[in-house]
Amino acid sequence: MTSSIKHSIVLVILIATLSSCNQNPSLQTYFVDNQERTNFISMDVPLTMLNIDKNTLSSDQQEAYNSVEKLNVLAYKSDSLSTDDFEAELAKVTTILKDQKYNELMRGGNPEDGKFTIKYVGEDDDIDEFIVLGSSNTMGFAVVRILGNDMDPNKLMMLSSVLQKGDFKDAKIEEVMNFFK
């Protein structure tokens, strides 16, 4: 009798465990699965690697800077021989980003020059992750995960003007730029 109860309990725990596992692909698993593959480049970039002079930041920019922990970058370089692969990989990323947990913030661009989408995870006033997907049929695509705590999109936009003036010569992010050349 106790043996059947034990088996029943184990069966219930097993069913609960298996049914609670999310079988949908995640952006994190996509990064891990593709970081070593041909045509991909992957890197983690701490914000300190961007060589920003924090003394020149306003208080809002400083707050935005402090809310960001790191950037995860995964880029796929397209070439004329692998257009099917490019389209398949881009479709995988777009499918992942269609999940309801990703809220769209902005999109833009055009088919000739390239497109971009910015999404986020969290509440409007308490964002834990921004995702930027940029793609170009001639160059490839890049997915950037901006990870942090309590990030504010408005303050991050103010920080973006500082990033445009940043010195990336020694930063790892230049590797991604050179990857697309």
Side-chain angles (χ1 to χ4, degrees):
M1 182 75 139
T2 60
S3 173
S4 65
I5 292 174
K6 286 180 184 178
H7 289 286
S8 297
I9 291 172
V10 168
L11 184 60
V12 167
I13 292 172
L14 182 62
I15 290 171
T17 303
L18 291 176
S19 65
S20 68
C21 293
N22 184 353
Q23 298 302 321
N24 295 333
S26 72
L27 199 53
Q28 178 65 31
T29 58
Y30 185 80
F31 268 62
V32 171
D33 292 346
N34 292 292
Q35 63 188 0
E36 301 292 326
R37 287 189 49 214
T38 306
N39 289 353
F40 281 93
I41 184 172
S42 173
M43 67 183 62
D44 293 335
V45 182
L47 211 55
T48 56
M49 293 290 293
L50 298 181
N51 301 324
I52 295 173
D53 182 5
K54 291 189 266 183
N55 296 325
T56 63
L57 300 178
S58 71
S59 62
D60 283 342
Q61 291 171 332
Q62 184 75 34
E63 188 178 329
Y65 181 86
N66 291 334
S67 70
V68 177
E69 292 175 4
K70 67 178 177 177
L71 309 174
N72 295 130
V73 180
L74 181 70
Y76 178 89
K77 184 176 182 180
S78 180
D79 61 40
S80 60
L81 302 176
S82 64
T83 56
D84 290 341
D85 289 341
F86 164 72
E87 290 172 6
E89 293 302 328
L90 184 58
K92 288 177 189 177
V93 173
T94 345
T95 300
I96 291 169
L97 293 178
K98 287 181 182 176
D99 189 302
Q100 290 181 349
K101 77 176 186 177
Y102 299 108
N103 303 298
E104 187 167 310
L105 184 62
M106 180 187 305
R107 71 174 48 227
N110 60 59
E112 293 81 35
D113 299 323
K115 300 177 184 179
F116 73 91
T117 304
I118 301 174
K119 297 196 173 206
Y120 67 93
V121 177
E123 301 299 320
D124 292 343
D125 58 347
D126 181 15
I127 297 174
D128 295 320
E129 177 179 1
F130 280 100
I131 300 96
V132 180
L133 170 63
S135 66
S136 165
N137 291 335
T138 58
M139 295 178 71
F141 69 86
V143 183
V144 180
R145 296 175 67 213
I146 303 167
L147 304 169
N149 292 309
D150 301 325
M151 293 184 288
D152 182 331
N154 296 321
K155 291 179 182 172
L156 282 176
M157 293 304 282
M158 286 185 250
L159 186 60
S160 69
S161 64
V162 174
L163 290 175
Q164 291 172 356
K165 298 175 191 171
D167 176 19
F168 299 121
K169 297 216 182 313
D170 296 328
K172 286 179 108 179
I173 202 80
E174 188 166 335
E175 290 179 36
V176 175
M177 303 310 255
N178 291 335
F179 178 72
F180 284 112
K181 289 182 179 178

